[in-house]
Amino acid sequence: MNNVSSNNLLIAKKLLLAGAGHAHIGLLRRMANKGLDDTDTDIKVTVITEQPQTLYSGMLPGWMAGHYQLNDISIDIVELCRRAGVPLVQRSIIAVDADKQTVATAKEECFDYDVLSLNTGADTDMTWLKSDAIKDKDLKSRVKVVPVRPIFNFVEQWQHILEEAKRTSHYQLAVVGAGAAATELVMAAQFALRQVNPSHKAYLICGEQLLSGFDKIFSARVMKQLQRHDIEIIYERATHLRGDKLATSHQTLTLNAVIAATGVMGSAWAAHTNLANLGKGFIAVNSKQQSTSHANVFAVGDVSTRVDREIAHSGVHAVFGGVVEADNLIAYLDDEPLQSYQPKNRTLYLLSCGDKYAIASWGRFSVQGRWVWYLKRYIDKRFVNAK
């Protein structure tokens, strides 16, 4: 009996980390600093992610506005895996077969696991864009449509937008979206474009309501900042594109580019999995960030949706939920009890306003100023540069 137990202990359990979001970055940093000394189980960890770096979305508007270099908002996943002693497979994921416990990649490779953690992020929801825009063959005059996610694609396209703006006397851009991210992006875009040419202009197309769910005082502060940047807000729904024109509910705008900040939906691989989902490719998870259909699969961040309560897809929940999820991965492998992620009633939210100015919100309390921007910079850089 004892010999059998000893042999079993020699068989390492495979923990597969798919994606390199907040949760996995935190776990890898933990492994790099002190390993997994708090577990009695022999664990073999592998990371699969397409990009060698993770771009921190919280600093993306600051990068757009020119306050940061790309390296300032990047976390080196290759180096982090090296420090943690974890192999990195630099591939895109195309499918997850949770019954067979395998993950397939674009190189037709297949990786098996005992426990899987999904922290892949998500794509921008583009279902608002009608199909006639896709069928439009006039490629020379078609407006450039740039989804915010995947972020690496957005970064590349934003650089092209700035180059085009330098060659154009009157560049017009619209951000489509009604959330806090859309307001940050449109202020960053307006600030950057007007550094190029004061006649360039950015619009915000937000549908019937802007910043629903936020405190009224905080929303009023944001509105004043949008006005300060001379951003025209269009309270109509964007419907379709044709040529260089974007149609809304009651008007048509001639534009050079459109940035889509219209919420998220599951990544392409989510259409090829037998994991339970709640529509739009979001993996259904319980309070422990554990798949509702396969107990050995965990998911956190934009790729997942809780079934027990409504939680917004935001960086705050990705960070704090990621800490709980990382602990639960180890606990599950050790056959220990799992803990639940219970969001706090109030969390600190920091919204940048294009230039070096920001608004802070904590429940019903909010403040603003340049000092808030520097506070945000300090917090953001501390996360990106953490070891």
Side-chain angles (χ1 to χ4, degrees):
M1 180 71 72
N2 290 336
N3 289 337
V4 173
S5 299
S6 298
N7 289 337
N8 286 340
L9 289 174
L10 294 176
I11 302 174
K13 290 186 178 180
K14 297 179 180 179
L15 171 58
L16 188 59
L17 306 180
H22 296 89
H24 291 173
I25 288 170
L27 181 57
L28 289 169
R29 284 172 172 169
R30 171 177 161 185
M31 293 175 64
N33 291 326
K34 63 176 183 178
L36 295 177
D37 297 335
D38 49 351
T39 177
D40 295 327
T41 305
D42 189 10
I43 302 172
K44 179 183 178 182
V45 182
T46 302
V47 175
I48 302 178
T49 189
E50 183 176 6
Q51 301 293 344
Q53 296 175 318
T54 291
L55 300 179
Y56 181 48
S57 59
M59 298 176 76
L60 185 66
W63 171 80
M64 288 174 62
H67 306 315
Y68 302 118
Q69 299 297 315
L70 202 55
N71 285 342
D72 296 328
I73 70 170
S74 302
I75 299 171
D76 190 337
I77 301 303
V78 175
E79 174 62 16
L80 184 54
C81 286
R82 186 197 65 76
R83 289 179 51 229
V86 171
L88 170 64
V89 179
Q90 200 173 316
R91 304 274 193 277
S92 59
I93 298 165
I94 61 172
V96 174
D97 190 328
D99 292 338
K100 295 181 179 178
Q101 297 185 186
T102 59
V103 172
T105 71
K107 292 286 187 179
E108 297 185 353
E109 296 168 306
C110 200
F111 296 84
D112 63 327
Y113 61 83
D114 294 300
V115 176
L116 171 65
S117 179
L118 297 165
N119 194 200
T120 61
D123 291 340
T124 302
D125 185 353
M126 297 295 291
T127 55
W128 60 273
L129 186 60
K130 292 187 177 178
S131 60
D132 60 346
I134 299 172
K135 295 177 182 178
D136 186 357
K137 301 300 183 182
D138 188 6
L139 297 179
K140 291 184 179 180
S141 64
R142 186 198 290 183
V143 58
K144 183 192 297 290
V145 183
V146 186
V148 175
R149 296 177 183 275
I151 291 179
F152 268 93
N153 293 344
F154 175 80
V155 163
E156 181 179 356
Q157 291 301 316
W158 176 249
Q159 292 170 325
H160 292 323
I161 285 173
L162 287 182
E163 289 302 317
E164 290 176 10
K166 292 175 183 177
R167 301 192 296 267
T168 305
S169 59
H170 188 57
Y171 196 92
Q172 296 202 120
L173 174 149
V175 174
V176 179
T183 64
E184 282 193 294
L185 291 168
V186 75
M187 285 188 276
Q190 180 85 317
F191 180 79
L193 288 173
R194 291 202 164 171
Q195 297 299 303
V196 174
N197 188 327
S199 68
H200 291 348
K201 184 172 181 61
Y203 299 86
L204 176 60
I205 303 174
C206 64
E208 291 79 12
Q209 191 172 4
L210 179 62
L211 296 174
S212 63
F214 282 89
D215 177 74
K216 290 183 179 180
I217 296 177
F218 175 77
S219 298
R221 290 181 184 273
V222 177
M223 292 294 296
K224 286 183 179 180
Q225 294 306 309
L226 290 167
Q227 293 168 6
R228 178 170 69 87
H229 284 286
D230 191 29
I231 293 169
E232 183 177 343
I233 305 172
I234 299 174
Y235 290 95
E236 299 175 15
R237 291 188 176 276
T239 57
H240 62 276
L241 291 159
R242 181 170 295 156
D244 58 355
K245 293 178 171 55
L246 173 67
T248 67
S249 307
H250 299 99
Q251 62 182 296
T252 300
L253 297 172
T254 301
L255 299 170
N256 300 93
V258 172
I259 294 175
T262 44
V264 294
M265 62 187 301
S267 299
W269 69 261
H272 306 283
T273 184
N274 44 16
L275 289 164
N277 71 81
L278 295 179
K280 288 192 174 182
F282 297 124
I283 304 305
V285 297
N286 59 24
S287 65
K288 300 169 179 61
Q289 301 298 143
Q290 184 180 34
S291 166
T292 57
S293 61
H294 296 77
N296 65 332
V297 177
F298 293 76
V300 69
D302 285 341
V303 71
S304 66
T305 294
R306 289 270 290 269
V307 299
D308 59 311
R309 61 180 296 177
E310 184 176 349
I311 297 179
H313 289 90
S314 74
V316 171
H317 297 306
V319 171
F320 290 108
V323 173
V324 173
E325 194 256 12
D327 287 340
N328 280 345
L329 292 174
I330 306 304
Y332 183 87
L333 286 162
D334 277 344
D335 293 322
E336 297 288 341
L338 307 181
Q339 58 180 311
S340 296
Y341 168 54
Q342 300 298 343
K344 298 177 181 178
N345 293 330
R346 291 182 293 184
T347 56
L348 179 63
Y349 191 91
L350 298 167
L351 186 143
S352 59
C353 301
D355 48 3
K356 293 181 179 180
Y357 197 92
I359 305 171
S361 170
W362 191 65
R364 294 184 177 181
F365 176 76
S366 63
V367 293
Q368 65 187 61
R370 288 192 170 274
W371 70 269
V372 179
W373 188 88
Y374 284 100
L375 172 65
K376 174 175 168 55
R377 184 182 72 168
Y378 170 78
I379 294 172
D380 289 342
K381 292 184 73 172
R382 184 176 62 178
F383 174 76
V384 170
N385 297 327
K387 298 298 182 182

